[in-house]
Amino acid sequence: MVAVSGMFAIGFIPPLAKVGNHGSANNSSTTSRQSVVFVTVTSTSPPLTSTLSIPGQDVTTTTTSVSTTTTTSPVTTTSTQTSTLTTTSLTTTTSTSTIYTGTITSTNTFTTTSTTLTTTTTTIAPPPPLTMDVTMSPGGNPTTLHAGEFFTVGITVQSTVPVSGASIYAYQVAPPDTPNIVTFYPAVPESVEPVVGTSHYTLEGTVSTGAPAGFYEVDVEISAINAHNNTSYSLTQQYIVHTVEPLSFTGYTFVTPNTQFNGTCKTESFQGVTTPIWGFQCGVNAAPMVNGTITFTVSNAANVPICVQSSFGSVSMSAFVKNSPYPFCPNGRPGVYVPASASGFEISFEVENGPNAGAQTISFTFLRSGN
């Protein structure tokens, strides 16, 4: 744990409520079991099968025919004829039935319903004696900030017991090869006195204007001692700060070029640097002892001014910043102060050629530096 020196004076909010006594409950468990049986019987009885054969037999049928003839004559004759027809027939009658072996299928379904009543008694533990909640503005974790920007840290402390020797720490956790980019105001650590209840504190943080883009861990910590039993408490909450580059050089201009002074520039890249460096190499055609003006356009995405230091290199030319009024960097340091949230801000150089005529090569470099 790394502690950053200094801290701040802080106010508090009176306690919200007293802590009440916690009750207790008895454990009890009751179990009841009921059984219900459902029985389903399915039976099938197919019809019986038998075969009956009746042998043939003779059947005799007698038919009697009566004929009556009537004639018209003086004599009336009545004749009666009787004939007998004997018919012998053999009839065989076969009756067939199919006998199925009787089968009875029984399906028994047993359903058991069990009801268990369980009573559980839970003892609620008392709340922690000390809790802390940290919010950062702008929000998010990681939170995105430009180099040079400000942020605030809100700290809410909940205490259920009287505490003593409480302090708030805020610091950047950085390996030896990582620059320390974060500072806080008021300086930390500083002693605070959380009340029994809720206390609120606020820190203001600043990301260095010289911070390289990247990810940085920032921890906020509170430590305190229970005033009753001398128990120490320490709570830490972690944030990740993602810094992004606020400056961008968008171009250059030869002001009113003419046959006496004109040229073009190209960008130069710099490898292996942590803080961005913007470079331009310019080929200039200038007559002897002729002056010209070159401007470089820069934008600042941060909501605070950024200091940009510049350098110039040439064998036969000299240059100086021509901005009017001159935007000085703080504390008398060299460079140009690029306004907050500036778009299209120009850094202007007056270039003076020496006795040499013809094509010259000059270089400009710009470096974002700390406040």
Side-chain angles (χ1 to χ4, degrees):
M1 181 181 301
V2 179
V4 179
S5 61
M7 197 41 182
F8 55 98
I10 303 169
F12 62 87
I13 292 180
L16 296 180
K18 293 183 177 179
V19 179
N21 294 327
H22 294 278
S24 62
N26 294 324
N27 293 328
S28 63
S29 175
T30 303
T31 302
S32 64
R33 181 180 177 91
Q34 297 177 350
S35 298
V36 180
V37 179
F38 296 90
V39 180
T40 301
V41 178
T42 301
S43 61
T44 303
S45 298
L48 300 177
T49 301
S50 64
T51 301
L52 176 62
S53 179
I54 302 175
Q57 61 182 358
D58 293 338
V59 177
T60 301
T61 302
T62 301
T63 302
T64 300
S65 176
V66 178
S67 176
T68 302
T69 301
T70 303
T71 61
T72 304
S73 66
V75 180
T76 299
T77 303
T78 300
S79 175
T80 300
Q81 296 179 351
T82 300
S83 63
T84 300
L85 176 63
T86 300
T87 302
T88 301
S89 64
L90 178 63
T91 301
T92 302
T93 301
T94 302
S95 175
T96 303
S97 300
T98 301
I99 297 178
Y100 294 91
T101 302
T103 302
I104 298 178
T105 301
S106 298
T107 301
N108 299 329
T109 301
F110 300 91
T111 301
T112 301
T113 302
S114 178
T115 302
T116 301
L117 177 63
T118 303
T119 301
T120 302
T121 300
T122 302
T123 301
I124 300 176
L130 195 69
T131 59
M132 176 183 67
D133 183 59
V134 177
T135 57
M136 185 176 289
S137 179
N141 194 5
T143 182
T144 300
L145 296 167
H146 291 98
E149 285 193 314
F150 299 99
F151 61 94
T152 59
V153 178
I155 305 169
T156 301
V157 178
Q158 293 278 354
S159 179
T160 61
V161 297
V163 297
S164 62
S167 296
I168 289 180
Y169 301 83
Y171 49 89
Q172 176 187 337
V173 179
D177 57 346
T178 301
N180 188 8
I181 66 162
V182 179
T183 56
F184 292 95
Y185 178 82
V188 289
E190 182 173 306
S191 297
V192 292
E193 296 182 1
V195 298
V196 176
T198 305
S199 303
H200 299 280
Y201 308 95
T202 301
L203 294 176
E204 183 181 88
T206 304
V207 178
S208 168
T209 56
F215 292 88
Y216 303 87
E217 179 184 338
V218 175
D219 287 4
V220 180
E221 177 186 338
I222 184 171
S223 62
I225 299 174
N226 188 329
H228 288 326
N229 58 17
N230 205 35
T231 302
S232 297
Y233 307 106
S234 181
L235 304 173
T236 302
Q237 192 162 330
Q238 178 193 73
Y239 270 87
I240 301 298
V241 174
H242 178 207
T243 61
V244 294
E245 178 54 44
L247 295 185
S248 58
F249 280 76
T250 57
Y252 68 92
T253 303
F254 278 75
V255 179
T256 61
N258 51 58
T259 57
Q260 299 294 308
F261 191 96
N262 61 77
T264 59
C265 300
K266 64 179 181 179
T267 58
E268 291 183 303
S269 61
F270 296 87
Q271 304 296 327
V273 295
T274 56
T275 302
I277 299 176
W278 295 267
F280 296 88
Q281 188 180 78
C282 303
V284 179
N285 295 306
M289 310 305 292
V290 172
N291 297 345
T293 302
I294 304 176
T295 62
F296 298 91
T297 304
V298 61
S299 296
N300 178 15
N303 59 8
V304 294
I306 298 292
C307 186
V308 178
Q309 297 182 8
S310 60
S311 63
F312 170 84
S314 173
V315 175
S316 60
M317 294 181 177
S318 59
F320 58 92
V321 177
K322 190 184 177 181
N323 286 55
S324 180
Y326 187 91
F328 287 100
C329 288
N331 303 321
R333 284 176 297 132
V336 175
Y337 216 37
V338 181
S341 305
S343 178
F345 180 78
E346 291 184 344
I347 301 176
S348 182
F349 288 87
E350 181 77 13
V351 180
E352 298 178 352
N353 190 22
N356 297 327
Q360 312 288 328
T361 299
I362 58 178
S363 296
F364 295 88
T365 58
F366 299 90
L367 172 66
R368 169 171 55 79
S369 63
N371 291 333

